[in-house]
Amino acid sequence: MRKMMLALSLVASIFIIAGCSSSPEKVEQERKTTRMTVVSSGNPAKVLPAFKTFSWNEDYNRVLSTVNAANESEVKSYIRDEIIRYLKTKGYVYQPDPIQADVVIGFLFALEDDLADQDIQDRFGLLPGVNNDITDKRYAKGTFLLAVLDNRAELVYWRSAMQGFVDFERDRTDDSIDHMQTVLSMMMKGFPQAGQ
């Protein structure tokens, strides 16, 4: 259960801001850990077709940062639930049947140890490019990728990628900040209302 909470916390707090410290070296290290970069293939309002419903495709929903297959399934479910929750605020509706859905939402969540930057770029064609010059073992570079594809998952309309740092020691039980919704709103902020 503890490992599962860690995996979910990694996703939810992928880009946490580090606490304060007094030494110049620690201040510089913490400044570096607060960096995050987002890149997108285009303005969603201009490149996405008008759609109202979305679904998933197992080939395009990947989690590469979990301890075992059971955790991978739970983290994938968590990410899906958060995407559904975010898109619902814009009027979109989840459709379980991909054939009946207008589009497919794809994602990939990985830690640097699981998938190197070059592999991400080769597979996704887009990379934010946050340098991993952090020596503090509490932090790992995390990458979260999103894509919108046609309902047959053959044509990619839009992609976005975010990289930042995960803090392994920080208390992740603090639910005063909704980290995953913050990440999604930064990546998907240009999404128009459903049907537009």
Side-chain angles (χ1 to χ4, degrees):
M1 185 64 176
R2 187 167 189 263
K3 289 181 181 178
M4 180 58 222
M5 291 308 295
L6 173 63
L8 288 177
S9 296
L10 290 176
V11 176
S13 62
I14 186 169
F15 308 107
I16 286 181
I17 295 176
C20 297
S21 93
S22 55
S23 78
E25 295 83 23
K26 285 192 175 191
V27 168
E28 177 62 16
Q29 183 83 4
E30 290 170 358
R31 184 192 62 76
K32 289 179 180 180
T33 62
T34 62
R35 290 179 303 180
M36 68 177 126
T37 307
V38 179
V39 294
S40 294
S41 61
N43 180 340
K46 296 185 185 219
V47 298
L48 290 175
F51 73 96
K52 294 181 181 179
T53 61
F54 65 95
S55 191
W56 316 114
N57 178 308
E58 290 302 320
D59 294 336
Y60 290 95
N61 286 186
R62 304 281 314 270
V63 175
L64 304 175
S65 302
T66 56
V67 177
N68 59 43
N71 285 349
E72 178 181 346
S73 177
E74 289 183 42
V75 172
K76 188 184 294 186
S77 178
Y78 169 76
I79 293 172
R80 287 177 174 180
D81 289 347
E82 290 297 307
I83 292 171
I84 289 170
R85 189 172 133 207
Y86 178 79
L87 288 176
K88 186 176 183 181
T89 66
K90 295 199 174 248
Y92 297 99
V93 176
Y94 170 67
Q95 169 55 254
D97 182 1
I99 301 297
Q100 305 235 348
D102 298 324
V103 299
V104 167
I105 304 289
F107 64 82
L108 176 126
F109 173 73
L111 291 179
E112 182 187 3
D113 293 343
D114 297 311
L115 193 62
D117 282 351
Q118 187 59 50
D119 288 338
I120 293 170
Q121 179 130 9
D122 291 346
R123 293 178 190 199
F124 194 67
L126 197 65
L127 186 68
V130 171
N131 291 327
N132 195 7
D133 54 354
I134 304 299
T135 56
D136 190 330
K137 298 297 183 200
R138 292 178 299 166
Y139 302 98
K141 183 166 66 172
T143 303
F144 186 54
L145 313 170
L146 286 171
V148 177
L149 303 93
D150 70 274
N151 69 347
R152 292 184 308 273
E154 295 174 353
L155 174 66
V156 177
Y157 295 120
W158 173 86
R159 297 169 301 191
S160 183
M162 177 180 267
Q163 279 189 331
F165 293 92
V166 177
D167 179 350
F168 287 109
E169 288 184 10
R170 188 166 201 144
D171 180 12
R172 293 175 187 91
T173 60
D174 176 15
D175 54 359
S176 64
I177 299 172
D178 199 341
H179 295 291
M180 190 61 176
Q181 289 300 303
T182 301
V183 167
L184 291 172
S185 68
M186 289 190 315
M187 295 177 77
M188 304 172 95
K189 69 180 174 186
F191 270 51
Q193 290 296 314
Q196 297 181 2

